[in-house]
Structures are given as structure tokens and as C-alpha cells.
Amino acid sequence: MAQSILSSLVSSHKASDSGLQIHLHPLVLLTISDLITRHTLRRQEGPIVGALLGQHNGRDITLEHAFECQVLGGEQGAVLLHQTWFQDRLQQYKDVHKDPALELVGWFTTTPPTGPEAQHIPIHQQIIHDYNETAILLAFHPASVLAGADNNGKLPLTVYESLYESQEADGDQSMDLDGQEAPLNLKFRELPCSVETGEAEMISVDSVARGGGNATNVDASTKSKGKGQASQAPVADKASKEASSQQEAKTLNDSSLLSPEDEELITSLTARANAIKMLHTRIQLLRSYLTSLPPSYLTAPSQTNGAPNDDAPSPSGTDINHPILRSIQALVNRLPLLIPSDGTAFEQESLSEKSDVTLVELLGDLTRGTKDIREMGRKFGVVSDAKQRNRRGGLRSIGPVYEDADELGGEQLMGMGQPYE
């Protein structure tokens, strides 16, 4: 099926003509996703609009922070920023982020995958006229996420820069009768974007990932049902009360939080599962690309009686890209380096390494056990000495003093007819 028609506001010029490079930080992505999630769950009305803060160094623009903006209805249904509120909030962020100094570099909103629409023009014109002439637009595409579209590992967003172009008609620039050029219209041109992560952001992203592993799926209906049974049970029926209490306690135990060890294990397994899924997706992409090539590129030259025919069209109309084919061939040539030549020797060496690690663990357990036994013997000796001192003190208070009561054997003490034990 053919791709959907691009928006009329998107320029036909290539992104490479501009030379701008956008470096997107994960904190901006977290802010946008949080804003969209809250807006959806609360069923709020109106557009999702926010400001982007970063640095503009030559042809490089960094997007480091983002915050939500308040909007107001303008003339003819246009949506504009709340001027006073936006200026105060922008100044607050500039006061906080002074080293390095951040400035307003653009804004973000949600758009269809085809690009910006007419309702996005007033806000963009307001920003470029009042704050930054080179402001960019970060368009997030929720429809791509909800539809589960396969973007080949790309983020569901697009970064645009604005420019003014003359309206074209019939392939030529339209001219008025008196020789004047047609008026310029605001257009958007797509820019290349890459993700850049700092040390502090890596810690925050890792914390968010660990928090996701700690989430538990609790059945609220079961929990409320247990509480309702406990509240509605008759006072005289003690058996029903006990059953309801046990049911509620069981539900609370099932909804307990995970331990730190479980969180770390879940995070590690989730990261490995995501890596395997991404690897499988990339392999399927390479396989589909190779399958779409002409048969001459999929067989050896000896079987085709000659070199591959570059002019032969592919079954699906895919262009032949020789750099990609060379990269795939280099990847295939590196596969033997990852597979050991002697499998038996590799297994024996792996078993030997595993045995050494297990032996070290057993020695550590033996050392800890010996230390615990010595500690227990020391404590037992202290307790035994204390008992003997207390016993000798009791004998001195009752009768004559004996230097060593053990030397008496089974003789009677103090003529009381009680043998010494």
C-alpha cells in the first residue's frame, strides 16, 4: 500500500540542505511521555504543548529540558501561548540553569505522522516572532505508538525547522501580472536527530527502569471485595470474620513490593529480553532486504555463470545499495570469530572455569563456617566462665570457702547431705 500523502506544510527540500544537527536528551523524552500519559489518563481537552530548552552552538542544537505550557484560545479558534505565564516560567528555568546557560530553542506538540497541521502555525509564529527566530518543532506521533507500527527501532517523533518558501504552481514560481513575486508561506523541513545521554541522565533513566520492574499488578476488585466482606460480616458470626480477615491478609501479602534483589533480577532479564528482541528485529530487516534483491545477488557467481547483473530489477523494486551489501558481507565474515573452532575444547575450558568458580564459592562458605564456629566457641567459653564464677560466689555465701570444688569429687558439702555436681 502506498504511503500516506505528506502534509502540505512539509517542505520538499532535503534535510541535508540545512546542515543542522539535533541532539536529543532522554530527559526531554521522559517529560513528553509523562505529559502525554497524564493528559490521556485524565481525559483532558485541548492540545499538548510544551517548550524545549537547550543550547545552540553553531549548527548543533541540544534539547536538554522541557516543560508544559499553558495555552489560550485566540482569534478564529487559534491556540496561542499564555504570554505572561510563559515569560515567567521561562525566566525561572533560565535562572536555575545558568551553568551551562540554556535558552528557548523550540517547542513540542503532538501531530499525525504526516507532519504539522494548520493549527500549529499560530504558536510557532508566536515563538519565532517573540523569542527565537530559529525555533524548531519536535512533533511526537502518538498514532504510531497506538497502532503498533514498526519504525525499525526509530522513535515516534520528528524534528522540524521552519523556513519561508514561495508558493509554486504548475512547476513554476507564480508571478503576479505586474511582475511581483508570490508571497512566502511558512513551511517545515525535517532535520536529522540523534539521542545524546549524559551521566546524570543515565542514572535517572536507570532509576526509571528499576521503578518499572517494581510495579505489581494488583487486582483492585479482589482487594475491595475482601474488605467489603469484612465490613458486611455480622458481628455474631466470628467464623465469617476470621475468614474475611484471612482473605484480606492473603491479598495484601500478594500485593507486597518486590525485594531489591528481585528488582535487580527483573531489570537484568528485561534488558536482555529487549536486546534479544531488537537483535531479532534487525536480523529480520536484513533478511527482508536480501530477499527483495534479484536472484543474481543471492547465489554464487559459479551458479549464475557470471557476475551479478546490476541492471536486473528486484522483485519488489528495491534499489541496489552496494555499501549495505558490503556491510552485510563483513558482518557474515565476522561470525566465525564468535563461534569457537574447537567446540569440545571450548566446553572443557568453560567447565573448568565453572568448576574453579564453584570451588572458590565453597571455600568461601567453609571459611565463613569456620569463623562462625570459632565465634560460637568463644561465646560459649565466656558463658561457662560466668556460670562457674556465679556458682563459686554462691558456695562462699553458704559455707566455708573451697579453692577448688571439683577436687571434692562426690563428697558431701557442708554436711548437708547433698553431693556436689
Side-chain angles (χ1 to χ4, degrees), residues 207-379:
S207 177
V208 171
R210 292 178 180 272
N214 190 25
T216 55
N217 186 8
V218 182
D219 190 357
S221 61
T222 304
K223 190 172 181 179
S224 60
K225 181 179 179 181
K227 292 183 178 180
Q229 291 177 354
S231 61
Q232 296 176 4
V235 179
D237 194 353
K238 295 183 179 180
S240 300
K241 279 188 175 182
E242 293 178 357
S244 301
S245 301
Q246 292 177 359
Q247 181 69 20
E248 184 178 357
K250 183 179 179 180
T251 305
L252 293 177
N253 292 333
D254 293 341
S255 62
S256 59
L257 297 179
L258 299 176
S259 62
E261 292 79 9
D262 294 337
E263 294 180 10
E264 184 176 359
L265 177 61
I266 291 176
T267 303
S268 176
L269 294 178
T270 303
R272 295 183 180 182
N274 294 335
I276 294 174
K277 290 180 181 179
M278 182 174 293
L279 177 62
H280 181 266
T281 303
R282 299 297 175 86
I283 293 176
Q284 290 296 113
L285 179 62
L286 294 178
R287 181 180 178 183
S288 61
Y289 174 74
L290 294 176
T291 306
S292 63
L293 296 178
S296 58
Y297 284 84
L298 305 178
T299 56
S302 60
Q303 299 179 2
T304 57
N305 298 325
N309 185 11
D310 294 342
D311 299 333
S314 60
S316 61
T318 305
D319 296 335
I320 305 302
N321 193 319
H322 292 281
I324 294 180
L325 294 177
R326 286 193 290 269
S327 300
I328 295 176
Q329 183 64 37
L331 177 62
V332 174
N333 294 335
R334 287 198 300 268
L335 290 179
L337 301 178
L338 304 177
I339 302 175
S341 57
D342 191 353
T344 304
F346 177 76
E347 291 180 358
Q348 292 180 355
E349 184 177 357
S350 300
L351 182 60
S352 177
E353 293 288 341
K354 183 178 179 180
S355 301
D356 293 342
V357 174
T358 305
L359 180 60
V360 172
E361 292 180 354
L362 292 177
L363 290 176
D365 295 338
L366 182 61
T367 304
R368 287 191 294 270
T370 304
K371 180 181 178 181
D372 295 339
I373 293 174
R374 292 182 60 183
E375 185 68 18
M376 184 181 65
R378 186 184 65 81
K379 293 180 180 180

